[in-house]
Amino acid sequence: MSLSPKTGQGNKDRLSAEHDYEVNLKAELEIIGLHEKIDSLREKQWSELISIQQEQLRLLRQLLEDLKKNQRTTG
């Protein structure tokens, strides 16, 4: 009993489909990892931005206090 060309092609197609599945799965896992990395970086940037804004608010409050003190002493 010999393999007909049709059966041989079927095996090739099956192997090709299995390979495609593995490649696609690996790519999908890589994409998930990249999304997680981007999310982590974005979260860090938001945290840094909030810290900067809090420092700016602190400086503005201090400036307002200083201005009020200067107004009281000058006038």
Side-chain angles (χ1 to χ4, degrees):
M1 182 176 196
S2 66
L3 290 176
S4 69
K6 201 173 192 180
T7 304
Q9 185 62 42
N11 284 337
K12 285 181 184 178
D13 290 346
R14 183 182 55 77
L15 290 174
S16 178
E18 286 176 5
H19 180 261
D20 287 349
Y21 173 79
E22 289 174 8
V23 168
N24 289 339
L25 183 59
K26 184 176 179 181
E28 189 173 340
L29 292 173
E30 287 291 324
I31 290 169
I32 289 169
L34 290 171
H35 278 287
E36 289 173 354
K37 191 172 187 176
I38 289 171
D39 289 345
S40 175
L41 289 171
R42 184 177 294 137
E43 192 174 307
K44 182 180 177 192
Q45 286 177 331
W46 275 113
S47 179
E48 290 172 357
L49 180 60
I50 289 169
S51 293
I52 290 168
Q53 288 178 332
Q54 287 173 337
E55 178 63 12
Q56 288 173 333
L57 288 171
R58 187 191 67 77
L59 292 169
L60 284 171
R61 284 188 197 101
Q62 183 64 49
L63 182 60
L64 275 174
E65 254 181 63
D66 292 348
L67 285 173
K68 287 178 183 178
K69 285 179 187 176
N70 285 342
Q71 286 177 349
R72 283 187 223 133
T73 59
T74 60

